[in-house]
Structures are given as C-alpha cells and as structure tokens.
Amino acid sequence: MTILQWIAGPTGQTFASACVLTILVLTLFMSIRLYKSYRRNKTHRLLIVVLSIVILQQAALVSLAFPGLSQSPYLNLSYSVTSLLSFIIINFVFMKLYTQPSTRLKGMPFLLMVIGLVGITALQIALDPDILTHPVGAEGLSALAMDFYGLVINFIILLNLRGIDQRFSYSASLIVYFIYQLSDLADSYVFHGSEPMLVILSHLLPIVYYALLFLLLFDWVLERLLMTFQSSITDGLTSLYNRRHFNKKAEQMLREARRIAIIFCDIDNFKKLNDTEGHHRADGVLKQVADIIKEETAGIGAAGRYGGEELLGLVAAAGVKPEKVAETIRSRVEKESIVTISIGVSCSRDGVS
C-alpha cells in the first residue's frame, strides 16, 4: 500500500479526524479560558457550544469509518446537518469577534441561514424519502440539495466581509473550506472515490481549515493581551509611558548607561487654555507636545507623562547633550504649537538612584 492509498483510505480519514479533533480540543480549551476571563461573554459561550458540536461531529466521522456504522443513513444525515449548522454558527462567532466596533454584526442573516438549512433538509427528505431507509454506499450520502446549500452559504459569507479585521486570514479559511466542499462534491457525484487526490483533499483540507481558525483565535487573544499590556504602561491620552513605568524605565537605563538625564516639561498657562479653548482643544495641544518629546527622545531615551500637563523626556545615549535636546523640544513646541513650555534638565550622579 502506497502513502497516497493510505491517506485516501479509511485509515487516512481516521488520522485526519484525529488531527482535527486535537486542534478543536485546543481551541475549545482556549475558548473556555476566554469565557472565564471576559466576564462570561455570550460570543465566547456560543463558541464553546459550536466547538463542542464540531467535536461530536468529528467523532461521528471517525465512527463512520467502521463498516457497520458507515451504512447508517441517520448517522450520515446527522453528520451532514451538523456540519452545515456548525459552519454557520462558527462563522457568526468569528465574524463577531473580528467585527470593528463601528460596524455592528447582525445575527438575523445567520438565523435565516439556519432556518434555510432546516427547510433544505426537509426538502431533501421530501424529494428523496429513501434517504432515511436505504443503507449508505461507499460513495457516501447522496444529498445534493444540502451539499449545494453549503456552497451557497460559504459564497454568501465570503462576499460579506466588510468591516471585518483580519479580512485576508479569515477569507483564506473560507476559501480553503470552499475548495474542500468542491472536492467532496466532485468525489461524491462525479468520480465516486476513483480519484485519490480528491479523496485526499477532502481528508486533509478540514485540518487546514480548523488550523486557520485556531490561529485566528490565537491571534485575537494575543492582540487583547498586547492591548492590556500597552494600556498598563502607557498614558491613554498621549500614548507616552505613564509615571510608574517611566520610573522603571529610568531605573533600568540608569543601571545600563550609568548616566542619564531627565528633561521635565510643564506647559505654560495650560489651565487658562482649558478654560478658554475647552478640554478638547487642550487635549489636542497636550498630544502635540507629547509627540514632539517622543520624536526628540526616540533612539536616545524615552518619553513619559508625569501628570496633568507635566511631561518627561529621558536621555541615556552617550555623547548626546541633554541641554541641547531640551532646547530643541522647547523651540519646536514654540514654533509648532499655540503654547510654550517651561523646561528643566537634571543629570544623574554616581551612586544616586
């Protein structure tokens, strides 16, 4: 037996299902952790439910490899229905996770897809009543209406990805699943298992599809972790280091460079600006000054916000005169903004923290 024959046979199907089950269990574990961490979010709860359905579905697929069970029309029909149902729900969940805040994802189209699935299943049984009585052959369950409906669903979702982050990665997963559906249809209705490459595609592409979904969820988790970390060390308005983290950064650079300088900046008459121009205008000026300090200390140190309108620059590069950097910041603020700043420089001394 060659490797192609092994992959195209029942053993290959069992191996592929085992790989998919492993990926799904890891994804389910991550989803449970998300559900506990994000105040029991409904989207994460729905993801747990749909992943459990897909795991049961893959377990059913493994059982279909056994000769006695593989001929069961009820088991094959249940597998086909749950495959489409889980595909609809899992895409709703992932689109919900990656929908931009400005674009609210509506659940009605997905509900209509589920209702359509029920109708198509009923129509399939009405058109072919023998589907529930005749044993299933080697080519699998013949349910053309349901298979075609699966293609239509995938195509509709693929065409409606506006406002979705990670659009390319998510589109790639849908395209992979679309190719899997086409290869499965061609194998079932045209070649009837005689073309090994089509069988291999129908076995291996689900592994790629669920691996892509796992990576999408993993990427979503990493983004949230980075956002949480970033918000814990930076000031929300200016994006400079907050006072606590700036102190840590200064201590670290002092240990490494032995000599550092702190530039302390205070925006002149900032309270008057707030009172006369409004908070929005004042915040804009504060961010403008913060950007200048960040630009002038980039590569030679760091920038932070001490509090209110008081901003900090840190110079730790050898050969750079902090007084010159401070003067550059002062003159740029005067030329480029509507305010001026009072500025001072303090250099470290040996043995002093």
Side-chain angles (χ1 to χ4, degrees):
M1 179 184 289
T2 65
I3 186 68
L4 290 178
Q5 290 173 328
W6 182 83
I7 296 174
T11 310
Q13 175 64 77
T14 305
F15 171 76
S17 296
C19 291
V20 171
L21 279 169
T22 304
I23 296 169
L24 287 171
V25 168
L26 291 172
T27 312
L28 179 62
F29 175 75
M30 195 188 304
S31 304
I32 293 170
R33 296 291 297 177
L34 282 173
Y35 179 67
K36 291 180 178 179
S37 301
Y38 281 84
R39 300 179 182 178
R40 289 169 166 72
N41 188 289
K42 290 180 181 179
T43 305
H44 300 141
R45 183 169 57 199
L46 187 58
L47 183 59
I48 292 170
V49 172
V50 71
L51 286 172
S52 302
I53 293 172
V54 179
I55 288 172
L56 291 174
Q57 168 199 329
Q58 289 299 316
L61 188 59
V62 172
S63 68
L64 289 175
F66 296 96
L69 292 172
S70 64
Q71 296 180 347
S72 169
Y74 286 100
L75 191 58
N76 278 272
L77 184 64
S78 298
Y79 172 77
S80 298
V81 173
T82 53
S83 293
L84 289 174
L85 179 63
S86 60
F87 180 74
I88 293 168
I89 299 174
I90 209 165
N91 277 284
F92 171 74
V93 170
F94 274 87
M95 288 178 77
K96 187 84 172 173
L97 287 175
Y98 277 104
T99 299
Q100 295 172 0
S102 58
T103 310
R104 294 191 65 183
L105 181 68
K106 296 179 181 178
M108 183 56 68
F110 293 89
L111 180 60
L112 292 175
M113 289 180 193
V114 174
I115 294 170
L117 173 60
V118 175
I120 289 292
T121 306
L123 180 64
Q124 182 72 62
I125 295 171
L127 293 173
D128 186 14
D130 295 337
I131 198 171
L132 296 175
T133 56
H134 285 188
V136 178
E139 67 278 1
L141 186 73
S142 180
L144 184 59
M146 294 173 64
D147 292 333
F148 181 74
Y149 184 66
L151 283 174
V152 171
I153 288 172
N154 196 336
F155 194 68
I156 290 172
I157 294 173
L158 196 56
L159 291 177
N160 290 275
L161 296 181
R162 292 188 302 274
I164 305 294
D165 291 331
Q166 297 290 337
R167 186 171 178 176
F168 177 78
S169 301
Y170 187 63
S171 298
S173 69
L174 290 173
I175 291 168
V176 166
Y177 198 81
F178 192 72
I179 296 170
Y180 157 69
Q181 289 174 310
L182 287 176
S183 61
D184 196 44
L185 277 172
D187 178 59
S188 299
Y189 296 101
V190 180
F191 296 96
H192 305 290
S194 63
E195 186 60 47
M197 285 307 298
L198 286 175
V199 179
I200 290 170
L201 281 176
S202 64
H203 287 177
L204 298 184
L205 285 178
I207 301 175
V208 180
Y209 172 68
Y210 287 111
L212 287 171
L213 290 185
F214 174 79
L215 291 174
L216 274 169
L217 186 62
F218 187 70
D219 189 54
W220 188 87
V221 172
L222 280 180
E223 281 182 8
R224 295 308 177 278
L225 286 174
L226 287 172
M227 285 170 60
T228 303
F229 173 71
Q230 199 67 21
S231 64
S232 70
I233 66 171
T234 58
D235 170 61
L237 177 63
T238 62
S239 298
L240 300 180
Y241 287 135
N242 58 35
R243 181 175 175 178
R244 181 174 59 84
H245 189 74
F246 183 87
N247 287 340
K248 281 187 178 180
K249 195 78 175 174
E251 291 286 356
Q252 177 191 341
M253 288 189 170
L254 182 60
R255 286 193 300 269
E256 294 172 356
R258 302 268 180 186
R259 185 177 183 275
I260 64 170
I262 301 294
I263 300 170
F264 200 101
C265 309
D266 194 329
I267 300 176
D268 300 326
N269 303 311
F270 190 73
K271 186 179 183 304
K272 184 179 179 182
L273 179 68
N274 253 321
D275 295 339
T276 56
E277 301 283 345
H279 290 292
H280 182 73
R281 176 71 165 153
D283 287 347
V285 170
L286 186 61
K287 284 190 279 189
Q288 190 179 6
V289 175
D291 288 340
I292 291 171
I293 296 172
K294 189 189 293 185
E295 288 169 13
E296 293 300 325
T297 55
I300 60 171
R305 185 180 183 185
Y306 190 80
E309 72 274 21
E310 299 165 336
L311 306 175
L312 299 163
L314 185 151
V315 178
V320 177
K321 294 184 178 180
E323 295 86 355
K324 188 175 181 181
V325 176
E327 174 56 25
T328 303
I329 292 170
R330 188 206 63 76
S331 62
R332 277 193 64 187
V333 170
E334 187 176 19
K335 291 173 185 176
E336 298 174 23
S337 72
I338 61 171
V339 295
T340 58
I341 58 172
S342 297
I343 195 163
V345 180
S346 176
C347 298
S348 62
R349 299 192 301 275
D350 290 339
V352 180
S353 69

